[in-house]
Amino acid sequence: MARIVMKFGGTSMAGTERIRRVAELVRAQAAGGNEVAVVVSAMAGETDRLVNFCREANPLYDPAEYDAVVASGEQVTAGLLALTLQAMGCKARSWMGWQVPVKTFGAHANARVDDFDAANVLAAMSAGEIAVIPGFQGISEDGRVATMGRGGSDTSAVAIAAAVNADRCDIYTDVDGVYTTDPRIVARARKQKYVTFEEMLELASVGAKVLQTRSVSLAMKKNVRLQVLSSFVDADAPSADTLPGTMIVSEAEMEAYLEKENMERQTVTGIALDKNEARVVLTRVPDKPGAVAEIFLPLGEAGINVDMIIQNVGRDKGETDVTFTVPQAELPRAQALLETLRDKIGFNRIITDTKVAKVSVVGMGMKSHTGVAATMFKALADRGINVQAISTSEIKVSVLIDSDETELAVRVLHTAYDLDAEAAVDGADA
Ligand code: ADP
Ligand code: ASP
Ligand code: MG
């Protein structure tokens, strides 16, 4: 017997028919003698719809009221799944975030979660009742509904798994594991049996949607065994207990696996893309000490996340151009803030571009191999793809390119780093 947390994403919960399929997967785990908690997302598209209502009602919406609205999507699916399980003869009940209680802290609409006591849920699970918990939502320090940022149900699932001390947290989605890149974009993407926490963290933070970044860091911190697998499987598919998906593992576990299989670690293990960045250029900024601080301190204070930064070589007149990226959603705020600082900073023009994409290659092997960035630049140059900005970390290289060239760039890099599978993945449209 094991204690399992099962999380189902939006496409898995999209309509009563899909929910019935999910209920069958849950029932099978419970019938195997396991204690089960289920964390659910809103139906696919529902959170977007609710966010749009908030924007229409008040473009400068209060994040606490936004939370009251957008948390409702998960409330509906949690109730529907509990009803469906009951109709199948299972003992099940829903637990809203405040009832668990999933305690959050930090800003509304982007709340964080760490430790909380889920003794009551655990007691119900031990008594053989399936606990159905809405993802994404919790209760803030001021006692109001809070949500955890887009994709936050992954983090809810990991937090619940840690709170009930689960043996495994299974993240069911619409792909059957973590691939070398988005399998919907590259037909030859390869499914990985194991990915390390560090690599998954980096991949998630540069745009691989499959797990929310915070869910990975929380799982790493709390030692939660995390598997990504598909809910779109036939009744006779191998059970989740046989680990058919991708396990997110520690560095030591990965080393042991590679040794056992007599496999070499690849330098690059994943490629991610992000089309939600915007490029900002400030022209003719004074080329003097302190000038860049005048730009980035106020942006930081306003909570605007700056990613890539380039300062061009100064011109003759002691001026330089400064280029950086911000999330597209933050661009209007960043632009308005910089306008108010025009005289203080002393720049000439603000040029913005949202037709950009960030493509990143990630791999632990980069720590010990040189030439990874050079391979990237050469492969892109050979296809005439221009690099507008670069950023690196110990295990990642990212480039900013024209968004029209994203898919081509990802495919070219996938081949350049020797990641292509022999046969194409069914259904991918590359
Ligand atoms: P859910 O609604 O289940 O939370 P998401 O849409 O958030 O699902 O995440 C799953 C999607 O992540 C997949 O459909 C796939 O297009 C995308 N994805 C991006 N990068 C990867 C990757 N490396 N491996 C698998 N899926 C990826
Ligand atoms: N429904 C929320 C979203 O779309 C949370 C989630 O699905 O993870 O962001
Ligand atoms: Mg998701």
Side-chain angles (χ1 to χ4, degrees), residues 181-189 407 410-411 414 420 425 428 430:
T181 190
D182 190 335
R184 298 185 189 285
I185 290 176
V186 176
R188 286 179 170 275
E407 282 76 13
V410 174
R411 275 202 285 277
H414 201 264
D420 290 351
V425 175

Side-chain angles (χ1 to χ4, degrees), residues 222-241:
K222 303 275 181 187
N223 252 320
V224 172
R225 280 190 78 68
L226 197 57
Q227 175 176 215
V228 175
L229 70 172
S230 177
S231 72
F232 291 74
V233 288
D234 297 332
D236 58 357
S239 139
D241 311 278

Side-chain angles (χ1 to χ4, degrees), residues 77 109 126 149 152 158 175 204 206 211 225 349 368 370 395:
T77 47
S126 312
V158 171
V175 289
V206 291
L211 287 173
R225 280 190 78 68
R349 288 173 62 209
S368 50
T370 55
I395 63 164

